[in-house]
Amino acid sequence: MTVESTAARKPRRSSTKRVSAKKAQQSDPAQPELVQLLTPEGERVEHPDYSIDLTPDELLGLYRDMVLTRRFDAEATALQRQGELGLWASLLGQEAAQIGSGRALRDDDYVFPTYREHGVAWCRGVDPTNLLGMFRGVNHGGWDPSTNNFHLYTIVIGSQTLHATGYAMGVAKDGADSAVVAYFGDGASSQGDVAESFTFSAVYNAPVVFFCQNNQWAISEPTERQTRVPLYQRAQGFGFPGVRVDGNDVLACLAVTRDALERARRGEGPTLVEAFTYRMGAHTTSDDPTKYRADEEREAWEAKDPILRMRTYLEKAGLADAAFFEELETESESLGRRVREAVRAMPDPDQMAIFENVYADGHALVDEERAQFAAYQASFAESVEGK
Ligand SMILES: Cc1ncc(C[n+]2csc(CCOP(=O)(O)OP(=O)(O)O)c2C)c(N)n1
Ligand SMILES: [Mg+2]
């Protein structure tokens, strides 16, 4: 397939429920390109190109996923403040983007995350306690990527988009119909690696979905320092479709990601999804956002909270009663307790273990460094004995 044949084609979902573009309620006239199925007020709206039809249990499940992910994230932030973790990168505010896209995946799909994809990890079945070892400094990752098709967290900004592209090219060569998702941020979109992965995936028609969480900030740099055009429009120049979705709307994120994954499975190549969202907390626990952004901005986004709007919708639709929310609260608290206890019980690693798994086989430089470190450690024992 040529690049031209995939160029700027807007993905469409075959659905009997589709309503005409004119009839569709556009809840945010200021952003007509934003795909939305649930307004900030919790009102269900239709979109001409994307529809979704979920059972009550599936809707409750999405809400539960978001609540438990937020609870886990809050516990991790508290554990860092108590000195139990060295660092934490909170996903606060991005629950809908991650749960919506994460629940669109099939088991055989493969995910390449950044360091903030705790909600996607949850959807992949990675035990949350396993995410914390790296942030406590007791291991290099904490889970086997092949068990849940969820790669290790990647700190080198944008590099995972290249890994995802290469992996997706391999999937296509195998003749499989699974797809790959590369998560990255608005700041990462300025990296050369991301531009290269866009080019390669387009010309090789790789089954990859580029899922950009535009949370408006790259540490202290706002999105206007990354781009002059809306990020989703970048895809057009590379010859594949881009779509901007309300990243605080779990239903729209699910529908749009599903559509992009199906497109990839059909052999129609990559899609860029820009989930328009907001980082409600600090970049990491080492950051103080009050130094560079106004409180009013955060307050405006609080009104668009992804969990609150889903709760309003569930209540209004009569899908959840007080007992449901109470049970979930109890479940959240026990998750928090389990995570806290698991982190505190994590054993310190053998100090020499840091040299393991650097390379698959032996390496002269690593051997040299291991020997130097062993001698350094031994020097303490000698000086204690010599006294
Ligand atoms: C190649 C590289 N350059 C710089 C950094 C330092 N750094 C860590 S996070 C970050 C900002 C990333 O912003 P964005 O892509 O928007 O993701 P977010 O943290 O907002 O989720 C930077 C510059 C890094 N980790 N890797
Ligand atoms: Mg960002």
Side-chain angles (χ1 to χ4, degrees), residues 72 121-122 125-132 142-143 148 335 338-339 342:
F72 160 70
W122 172 266
V126 177
D127 190 304
T129 59
N130 290 346
L131 300 178
L132 298 173
W143 63 93
N148 306 85
L335 174 65
R338 180 166 80 81
V339 166

Side-chain angles (χ1 to χ4, degrees), residues 185-187 213 215-218:
D186 44 292
Q213 284 168 88
N215 63 9
Q216 315 298 325
W217 292 93

Side-chain angles (χ1 to χ4, degrees), residues 103-115:
R103 286 294 176 212
L105 293 158
R106 273 188 351 206
D107 284 353
D108 58 315
D109 295 333
Y110 201 99
V111 171
F112 288 84
T114 71
Y115 39 81

